[in-house]
Amino acid sequence: MLVRYVARRFLASLVVVLGVTLLTLILMDRTRGTYVPGIDLNPSLRPEDIENLRANLGLDRPFYVWYLTWIGAVLHGDFGHSMIDGSPVLSHILDRLPNTLELTATAIVIGVLIAVPLGVIGALRRGSKTDHALTVTSVAGFAVPQFWMGLMLILIFSVTLEQHGLPWLPSSGAYSAFNGGDFLDRVEHLILPATVLSFFYTSIWSRFIRSSMLEVLSQDYIRTARAKGMSERRVVYLHGLRNALIPLITLIGLELPGLVSGGLVVEVVFGWPGIGKLAFERALQYDYTTVMGVTFFATLLVIAGNLLADLLYGVLDPRIRYG
Amino acid sequence: MIGPSRVAELEMPGAGVETAAARPAQSYWNESWERLRDNRLGMAAGVLILVLALIAVLAPVFSAVLTHYEPQTINLDQTFVRPGASHLLGTDELGRDTLTRLIWGARVSLGVAFLTVAMSLSVGTTVGMVAGYYGGWIDDVLMRLVDTVLAIPAIFLFILMSILFRPNAVTLAAIVASVGWGSVARLVRGEVLSVKQRDFILATRSIGARDSRLMVRHLLPNVLPVLIVAASLGVGQIILVEAALDFLGLGIQPPTPSWGNMLTNAQSYFFHSGFLVAFPGITIFVTVLASNIFGNAVRDAFDPRLKSH
Amino acid sequence: MSRDEDHKDDGFAQFEQFLEEWSRRDFLKRTGGAAAYLSFMGGGLAAFLEACAGGTSSNTPTAKKGGHVVEGNFSDIRTLNSMLSSDTASNQVIGLMFDGLLNYKKDGSLIPALAQDLPKTNSDGTVYTFKLRSGLKWSDGQPLTSDDVKFTYQLAYDPQYKAVTSPRRGDLSKYIKSIDTPDPQTVVITTTQVFAPFLSSHARYGILPKHVLGSLDAKAINTAPFNTAPNVSNGAFKFVKWDKGSQVTMERSDSYWAGAPNLDQWIYKVLPDSVAVTNQLKTGEIDIGPVDPSQFDAVKSADNVAVTEFAVPSFTFYAYQLDPAKKGGQLFSDKSVRQALLFALNRDQVVSAVYFGHGSVANSVEPPTSWAYKQKPQVLYSFDKGKAESLLDSAGWTKGGDGIRAKNGVKLKFDMITNAGNKQRESMLQVMQQSWKDIGVDATPSLIQFPQLVSQITNIRTFDMFLVGFNFDEDPDQGQLWHSRNTVAGGFNGFDFKNSDVDSILDQAVGTLDKTKRKQLYGQFQDIMSDVVPAPIILFNHGIYGVSKRVMGADFGSFNQYGSRPWNHSVWVTDGK
């Protein structure tokens, strides 16, 4: 049953991946004009040079020929070489993907760790000043542009702290340029970008936990548990919270697709060497091969994320069955 | 989730199904509006958004009355003037008056936001209703389409499309809406599925009402609260998306002022003219905050279990 | 203006350095700070040193060994193969690891690098004979010989290597006739004709190791692992690793011909934007970084950073569409219109407001860094609104009811394009719009992405006017921009400028090695261009660098910015870390 469902979704996904990559290629090809990827306004370049380069990259062929050649190569696991720097696309992706996942996964974890307590408190103290304050804070949390928050945090926690001789946080990159790379160094660099990214999640999820808790706490079985004399604490945490968290898992699952591209702005602000930043820069430079490769993977991950979310939902909510 | 029609039944004890079917919507709506009106913070937020929308629409009038400056006239002798008598909110790196640009920027930022929401909602609602109502293969096909749209990493698509269409407000709205309608469709479809089985729907169908009439007159009002919430929250989120695109260099291009590109532009001058960053930043924050609060207030009003008082 | 600042900064940096070393001796207490500074600058250093009883008699601090430098820039590198690179980031990093036959001094004059001396030329200037230094070694111990030099150039000119996508192919295949290697120390390059820019433009490419790349066929060279991880190099530093998107790490090469560098490591770090440069110079996360004019004051105010500013051979200019078949061409074919629009621009204000004073108004098409620069060409353009209006009036462009000038029913109305993302250019378009609105001309700015701008300029060419910047190297030749042969599809003369006088002057000027004659020819060239103004130069940019005060020996200058820096190995850090 489940296997057939997954298989069907998988086949449909292939169609989606093909569609998305083709769309990406069409958009790039239609807008490129006569620009040859990687070639800037360089006085030493002549028209013949540019023609030569264009032919070498296969850009003189119509896009569908290019696409079919590319698909053929991909089926062999060959994602080609970047048009800008000639290095294998796969190496670019595999170098950066872990960085992106590290960033977004950390942000999600921080988000959950902060959202759950905030939501529970809000639900338990419904209507009180605390609840109002929390509501306003969380609602304010997703009213701030991410890039602005990032730049402000850099200003405060990096530059200002350093100027006053206090311990300060680095402002770009995933690790220190010199002698960096160890665990603590990476954590130091992760703090600011993950905080900015998690702000968004925290705000939404704390609201959600709150309403979910309220809904659960108004259910009959909770009333029954109370009537049976169970302690308030057990009622709230054992029964209430556990059930309220179930939809949260779905929500997190809904974020899985965004894992790859959700952090793009944060990656750009903090110079985080992730896949979002890679795609953004290469798209503007018309590096077909890299962008197609990244889109392929990103779409696959989005679909996998969607599938995982749906499966989790099915597993956790016994009312849903898949046919 | 308890649908609005069930609440209506609870509110009128002893009423038969027919009575509920005949007037399920009215008292529920009245009740909800009253709840909304009681939420003073929510109403204030809603009013604020209306005021901003008014400013956006009447930008030329407001700027002529308040400041007498044009948004794009530069004056290189008056750059980085601090807020004061001659320029209420100061001037930027080309001597343009900040307040004037904020007023005209409202036109762009709010315009894009409202337009995007309108487009996503219309397309999404139609698709969601048709899919939810008819079910079967129509539902399958439409939902596969929605899945495809939702599978595209949105930001990638924005980047590529922004390169394709040199964005003005309308094309930018279309670009953002082209990925936004998917989640609206899913949302609407979910609501339609839960309402579809209600007795009053079955009853109306049995007396031979046309599908479209059914969808518009009976399904739509039940779906409306969800749409209002989505619209309100959406306006805020689109403003942020537009600001992010401006930051990436892909949104509304200067010299046309938008709150997002004013904020992005001012970053380099933060060290000596922080006010240039503060004013658009605060404007964006307050507007998005208002839209968030209003959206939450509507949601609380239409779903009474969740209200905070 | 910049020269004085230069000296002041250098002096102050040295003074601070001096204080740091002698603070123990209560120098200031005894002499008073101001007096100390003055006397220091006045050259009384020796006297003070003696007064402090002891210490070295040299007046330059001795270089400390060890430590690292982090240099930041905005883009990641693309390749580390000197014959494939076309962007400044790659050239910059390649310059740290690979030397060429020659290099530039700060002022653009050529100095020998891998070659022992400047080459001997034969009487008609078509044969260059280079003698390599003796004992040159690659970082893996193999000797560096003339075969390596020949191989390197072959990648770009030899038909056998046609499939190598080298951006150097155009010039090198046109101008190199043959390269001979009579012995391992001698390279003889024969050109097809006299080509004056040859040495300056083409003798500085990093030499590649034949024993590593020689066995590969042409196509394989394009994607060789060497290009992204060059395990063998001949420069001051050698490659350690490239963390894509983050940084390139390089370490000291003890076999470098000029002597092992002082530093242990040189790291090239990728930064998000110009504000990040400022922030990280302040916090010390980077030691060296290029400073945007808008950030100058912020960086200057940091007490741990020294800022250096200098003229560079790059300028910002806008071009009139001159193709008569296009709309712009009809508007701008009249010289009076072109001149009038230039007179209407207050370029001093542009430099001070848009570039915060870090630039110079351009009088000529040659940059002031060029030895052929003529400070006062035939026609000079100051800001003269009255003259602009009268020129337009006499040309028949009269103001209509709406304030816009028109002639024969055609309005003086056009679009201007430049690339999005460059703040100064965006601002400049608006200044141009405003200035021209004041004289009755309707110009509308439009921002497009950089690839689209390049497409427009080189091929599509539907623009009325574009604004862009250009970087030249040391040779005054500007044929790529102004020669009519480059109006073909793909060339940079996208505004269709065709002037047979200019063509013949440019051709003559590259056809002789006689510097005096060339200077005279370029003088004529600048005169004609100042009169005809097909594409007025607005300003010459300045290069600005922020260097941490712990870094010594980094001598940035007009031609020592990116790839050509002969002093890389002598850079050292005061704290040795």
Side-chain angles (χ1 to χ4, degrees):
Chain A
M1 244 350 170
L2 195 64
V3 174
R4 211 182 316 164
Y5 175 75
V6 172
R8 232 179 44 198
R9 284 283 291 260
F10 183 69
L11 277 166
S13 311
L14 276 180
V15 174
V16 171
V17 171
L18 283 177
V20 172
T21 46
L22 186 58
L23 180 65
T24 309
L25 180 63
I26 293 176
L27 285 174
M28 292 189 86
D29 196 67
R30 293 309 304 137
T31 63
R32 180 173 50 87
T34 53
Y35 179 71
V36 177
I39 300 308
D40 299 332
L41 278 177
N42 187 341
S44 66
L45 280 177
R46 293 144 162 265
E48 314 91 78
D49 291 328
I50 298 181
E51 271 316 302
N52 203 13
L53 289 161
R54 190 204 313 278
N56 270 333
L57 295 173
L59 292 176
D60 46 357
R61 289 175 272 167
F63 75 88
Y64 43 86
V65 173
W66 199 95
Y67 186 67
L68 290 169
T69 321
W70 183 76
I71 289 283
V74 166
L75 287 174
H76 289 101
D78 175 15
F79 281 86
H81 296 260
S82 161
M83 286 182 172
I84 306 249
D85 60 37
S87 47
V89 171
L90 215 49
S91 79
H92 269 300
I93 294 178
L94 293 177
D95 278 349
R96 319 272 193 123
L97 195 54
N99 292 330
T100 299
L101 293 177
E102 178 188 322
L103 178 64
T104 38
T106 310
I108 289 180
V109 166
I110 295 180
V112 170
L113 288 177
I114 300 185
V116 169
L118 286 187
V120 168
I121 295 175
L124 292 181
R125 303 206 193 307
R126 190 179 74 178
S128 71
K129 280 211 168 56
T130 324
D131 184 27
H132 272 285
L134 285 174
T135 307
V136 172
T137 327
S138 59
V139 153
F142 61 101
V144 186
Q146 268 186 344
F147 68 90
W148 187 78
M149 185 188 295
L151 292 167
M152 286 299 115
L153 288 186
I154 289 177
L155 206 63
I156 298 172
F157 291 97
S158 189
V159 182
T160 313
L161 282 187
E162 194 273 342
Q163 305 266 286
H164 287 90
L166 297 164
W168 52 279
L169 289 169
S171 62
S172 86
Y175 41 81
S176 292
F178 178 64
N179 272 350
D182 60 32
F183 182 70
L184 236 81
D185 185 51
R186 287 193 79 106
V187 167
E188 243 184 29
H189 280 81
L190 193 54
I191 294 178
L192 285 182
T195 306
V196 175
L197 198 52
S198 70
F199 229 74
F200 188 75
Y201 297 139
T202 312
S203 312
I204 297 182
W205 291 344
S206 64
R207 297 289 308 153
F208 186 81
I209 299 273
R210 180 182 170 278
S211 55
S212 183
M213 272 295 273
L214 284 174
E215 174 168 352
V216 161
L217 287 178
S218 67
Q219 296 292 331
D220 293 338
Y221 64 88
I222 295 289
R223 241 176 286 167
T224 317
R226 283 204 181 105
K228 277 166 58 176
M230 197 179 280
S231 76
E232 191 61 22
R233 177 164 281 178
R234 282 192 72 166
V235 168
V236 169
Y237 293 111
L238 196 57
H239 293 286
L241 188 59
R242 222 167 41 167
N243 291 314
L245 282 183
I246 292 172
L248 177 67
I249 304 208
T250 331
L251 263 196
I252 297 180
L254 282 177
E255 291 302 327
L256 287 178
L259 264 185
V260 172
S261 62
L264 195 150
V265 173
V266 172
E267 283 182 16
V268 171
V269 171
F270 288 93
W272 189 264
I275 211 149
K277 183 156 165 283
L278 175 70
F280 170 59
E281 287 164 351
R282 294 308 167 101
L284 291 180
Q285 294 174 321
Y286 288 87
D287 184 358
Y288 284 30
T289 29
T290 309
V291 176
M292 297 288 281
V294 174
T295 313
F296 184 87
F297 272 94
T299 316
L300 267 186
L301 284 171
V302 166
I303 293 173
N306 274 331
L307 192 59
L308 200 62
D310 284 348
L311 284 178
L312 272 176
Y313 196 67
V315 160
L316 293 168
D317 189 343
R319 291 174 289 173
I320 298 186
R321 279 279 162 265
Y322 291 102
Chain B
M1 184 169 142
I2 303 174
S5 48
R6 176 139 179 244
V7 174
E9 287 166 34
L10 293 172
E11 293 296 324
M12 295 172 39
V17 169
E18 285 77 52
T19 321
R23 299 170 18 188
Q26 269 172 333
S27 55
Y28 169 66
W29 274 80
N30 284 343
E31 285 268 336
S32 303
W33 276 112
E34 274 210 23
R35 274 195 289 272
L36 186 59
R37 263 196 298 277
D38 286 341
N39 184 340
R40 270 176 292 172
L41 189 60
M43 287 306 286
V47 166
L48 179 62
I49 297 187
L50 272 177
V51 168
L52 286 170
L54 198 66
I55 293 180
V57 169
L58 295 175
V61 174
F62 274 95
S63 79
V65 164
L66 278 176
T67 64
H68 318 297
Y69 293 108
E70 293 289 310
Q72 299 194 21
T73 310
I74 65 174
N75 185 341
L76 294 182
D77 294 318
Q78 296 271 309
T79 59
F80 299 113
V81 171
R82 307 202 83 77
S86 60
H87 292 272
L88 289 173
L89 295 182
T91 64
D92 65 7
E93 74 277 8
L94 289 179
R96 295 175 296 207
D97 181 62
T98 305
L99 181 56
T100 313
R101 300 195 91 220
L102 279 179
I103 292 174
W104 285 80
R107 212 173 228 209
V108 175
S109 299
L110 283 179
V112 169
F114 280 113
L115 200 54
T116 308
V117 163
M119 288 189 208
S120 322
L121 283 191
S122 17
V123 175
T125 310
T126 317
V127 171
M129 283 236 275
V130 168
Y133 182 74
Y134 288 110
W137 66 269
I138 296 184
D139 184 22
D140 259 344
V141 166
L142 284 175
M143 282 303 114
R144 284 302 128 240
L145 181 62
V146 170
D147 281 345
T148 312
V149 167
L150 288 178
I152 306 171
I155 197 83
F156 291 171
L157 198 67
F158 290 158
I159 294 171
L160 291 170
M161 289 180 104
S162 294
I163 302 174
L164 175 67
F165 310 107
R166 239 188 290 167
N168 57 31
V170 176
T171 52
L172 191 59
I175 290 172
V176 179
S178 69
V179 282
W181 68 267
S183 28
V184 175
R186 268 220 184 137
L187 201 65
V188 168
R189 174 179 173 274
E191 279 299 298
V192 168
L193 283 181
S194 75
V195 173
K196 198 165 72 162
Q197 298 308 317
R198 295 293 146 233
D199 295 338
F200 76 90
I201 298 291
L202 295 171
T204 322
R205 264 182 126 154
S206 66
I207 46 177
R210 266 205 326 271
D211 287 341
S212 55
R213 182 189 171 84
L214 198 69
M215 285 199 276
V216 171
R217 296 204 72 205
H218 297 280
L219 285 178
L220 193 55
N222 288 300
V223 164
L224 212 49
V226 170
L227 289 182
I228 296 181
V229 175
S232 182
L233 293 176
V235 165
Q237 292 314 300
I238 306 295
I239 293 180
L240 291 179
V241 167
E242 193 262 321
L245 285 175
D246 286 328
F247 170 71
L248 294 177
L250 303 168
I252 302 292
Q253 300 291 359
T256 312
S258 84
W259 294 341
N261 72 24
M262 286 174 74
L263 184 59
T264 304
N265 216 34
Q267 294 296 154
S268 325
Y269 311 115
F270 187 73
F271 292 105
H272 53 80
S273 301
F275 62 90
L276 285 176
V277 171
F279 293 134
I282 292 173
T283 314
I284 292 177
F285 176 70
V286 167
T287 311
V288 178
L289 188 63
S291 91
N292 287 348
I293 291 179
F294 186 65
N296 275 310
V298 173
R299 181 190 283 150
D300 284 354
F302 281 82
D303 211 345
R305 297 162 299 130
L306 308 178
K307 67 187 170 80
S308 21
H309 53 273
Chain C
M1 165 186 85
S2 54
R3 290 237 163 246
D4 283 340
E5 294 231 65
D6 249 356
H7 279 141
K8 243 201 319 204
D9 281 346
D10 277 351
F12 196 75
Q14 279 185 42
F15 179 58
E16 285 224 353
Q17 172 56 29
F18 177 72
L19 282 183
E20 219 179 81
E21 295 197 288
W22 294 97
S23 58
R24 283 176 271 146
R25 299 167 191 263
D26 285 338
F27 186 78
L28 277 178
K29 267 201 207 153
R30 269 193 258 161
T31 59
Y37 183 54
L38 283 173
S39 51
F40 180 84
M41 289 307 288
L45 178 55
F48 273 107
L49 285 170
E50 289 189 89
C52 296
T56 64
S57 53
S58 71
N59 58 358
T60 40
T62 33
K64 281 211 180 101
K65 299 266 178 216
H68 74 283
V69 153
V70 179
E71 177 174 10
N73 212 327
F74 307 126
S75 11
D76 197 7
I77 60 167
R78 293 179 188 166
T79 179
L80 291 172
N81 184 320
S82 56
M83 291 315 263
L84 298 181
S85 68
S86 60
D87 64 306
T88 42
S90 304
N91 285 336
Q92 190 169 342
V93 178
I94 290 172
L96 284 158
M97 299 191 293
F98 292 91
D99 268 13
L101 289 168
L102 306 176
N103 210 336
Y104 277 153
K105 254 193 350 200
K106 228 160 68 160
D107 59 0
S109 51
L110 289 166
I111 49 172
L114 290 179
Q116 196 163 305
D117 301 295
L118 292 181
K120 294 189 180 35
T121 32
N122 67 346
S123 50
D124 40 321
T126 52
V127 179
Y128 298 89
T129 308
F130 292 87
K131 268 234 157 349
L132 295 176
R133 294 176 194 271
S134 53
L136 288 175
K137 285 214 189 319
W138 289 99
S139 57
D140 63 352
Q142 294 292 315
L144 194 157
T145 66
S146 53
D147 278 339
D148 293 309
V149 178
K150 177 171 179 175
F151 171 72
T152 305
Y153 282 86
Q154 272 179 320
L155 294 181
Y157 88 87
D158 194 315
Q160 171 196 0
Y161 285 105
K162 192 155 194 291
V164 174
T165 50
S166 170
R168 324 232 180 276
R169 185 172 309 283
D171 269 350
L172 291 182
S173 56
K174 179 169 175 185
Y175 290 112
I176 294 187
K177 187 167 169 194
S178 64
I179 299 187
D180 298 300
T181 52
D183 64 66
Q185 302 300 115
T186 312
V187 182
V188 181
I189 302 182
T190 311
T191 55
T192 52
Q193 59 192 76
V194 176
F195 184 54
F198 182 76
L199 275 188
S200 177
S201 304
H202 302 296
R204 293 172 297 119
Y205 299 130
I207 302 301
L208 298 169
K210 182 171 180 180
H211 62 285
V212 175
L213 293 173
S215 52
L216 299 172
D217 70 40
K219 245 186 153 7
I221 289 185
N222 289 330
T223 51
F226 177 88
N227 300 342
T228 51
N231 46 348
V232 175
S233 56
N234 61 41
F237 294 87
K238 29 180 204 192
F239 179 81
V240 174
K241 61 182 160 107
W242 175 24
D243 298 311
K244 297 195 174 72
S246 292
Q247 62 188 67
V248 181
T249 313
M250 293 163 277
E251 66 181 4
R252 182 182 74 228
S253 171
D254 290 316
S255 55
Y256 186 50
W257 64 264
N262 294 316
L263 293 171
D264 290 330
Q265 276 196 347
W266 192 294
I267 299 164
Y268 173 88
K269 181 176 175 183
V270 182
L271 299 173
D273 53 45
S274 60
V275 179
V277 172
T278 309
N279 289 341
Q280 296 197 22
L281 278 172
K282 283 185 172 185
T283 61
E285 280 170 274
I286 63 172
D287 299 303
I288 299 177
V291 177
D292 187 82
S294 65
Q295 300 301 304
F296 186 90
D297 291 333
V299 177
K300 194 102 204 271
S301 67
D303 47 15
N304 60 328
V305 183
V307 186
T308 159
E309 181 175 355
F310 42 87
V312 288
S314 55
F315 52 65
T316 309
F317 71 100
Y318 71 92
Y320 298 108
Q321 174 64 267
L322 295 172
D323 184 341
K326 310 222 167 93
K327 171 183 144 211
Q330 290 158 14
L331 297 175
F332 302 126
S333 53
D334 184 350
K335 188 173 79 172
S336 317
V337 174
R338 303 199 298 269
Q339 290 185 330
L341 290 179
L342 188 53
F343 274 114
L345 280 185
N346 188 341
R347 293 182 292 162
D348 284 301
Q349 212 178 33
V350 167
V351 170
S352 65
V354 176
Y355 284 81
F356 302 94
H358 301 289
S360 18
V361 174
N363 291 330
S364 173
V365 292
E366 289 286 349
T369 50
S370 170
W371 50 263
Y373 173 61
K374 187 168 184 178
Q375 197 175 22
K376 283 189 166 25
Q378 187 175 6
V379 185
L380 290 172
Y381 296 85
S382 54
F383 174 51
D384 194 336
K385 193 170 149 199
K387 182 149 186 189
E389 304 227 50
S390 67
L391 271 174
L392 286 175
D393 286 328
S394 341
W397 293 91
T398 38
K399 282 193 187 167
D402 57 357
I404 310 295
R405 293 177 183 269
K407 179 178 176 180
N408 301 335
V410 178
K411 283 200 186 168
L412 197 43
K413 176 177 155 62
F414 51 87
D415 293 327
M416 315 178 281
I417 58 173
T418 194
N419 57 306
N422 184 317
K423 249 208 221 103
Q424 281 96 24
R425 286 183 206 160
E426 291 169 14
S427 298
M428 236 189 304
L429 278 193
Q430 293 176 63
V431 175
M432 286 153 72
Q433 175 186 38
Q434 185 72 44
S435 311
W436 290 338
K437 186 168 170 204
D438 289 343
I439 59 168
V441 176
D442 183 352
T444 315
S446 171
L447 299 177
I448 58 180
Q449 295 296 333
F450 189 71
Q452 277 74 24
L453 182 65
V454 173
S455 291
Q456 268 285 344
I457 297 177
T458 56
N459 284 84
I460 308 176
R461 299 173 174 171
T462 51
F463 59 85
D464 297 327
M465 175 184 288
F466 68 79
L467 175 76
V468 90
F470 233 57
N471 298 320
F472 281 108
D473 59 28
E474 186 266 345
D475 196 274
D477 177 42
Q478 293 189 356
Q480 304 84 2
L481 207 43
W482 312 114
H483 200 290
S484 61
R485 82 170 92 87
N486 285 313
T487 54
V488 301
F492 290 116
N493 188 342
F495 42 99
D496 209 52
F497 174 61
K498 289 175 174 151
N499 184 309
S500 49
D501 290 330
V502 170
D503 280 353
S504 98
I505 290 179
L506 287 176
D507 286 334
Q508 282 178 60
V510 297
T512 170
L513 294 181
D514 179 350
K515 214 162 173 182
T516 330
K517 182 138 203 321
R518 293 187 79 200
K519 186 161 180 177
Q520 187 224 5
L521 283 168
Y522 285 118
Q524 288 176 24
F525 162 66
Q526 290 170 78
D527 284 336
I528 300 179
M529 296 302 288
S530 71
D531 178 50
V532 176
V533 283
I537 319 291
I538 297 184
L539 79 152
F540 293 115
N541 304 75
H542 282 181
I544 313 174
Y545 265 82
V547 180
S548 164
K549 289 189 176 156
R550 77 181 195 110
V551 176
M552 308 294 286
D555 195 13
F556 285 95
S558 310
F559 292 92
N560 280 175
Q561 266 197 101
Y562 304 117
S564 308
R565 298 196 271 189
W567 37 259
N568 282 328
H569 65 287
S570 43
V571 174
W572 57 283
V573 284
T574 57
D575 54 5
K577 294 208 199 115

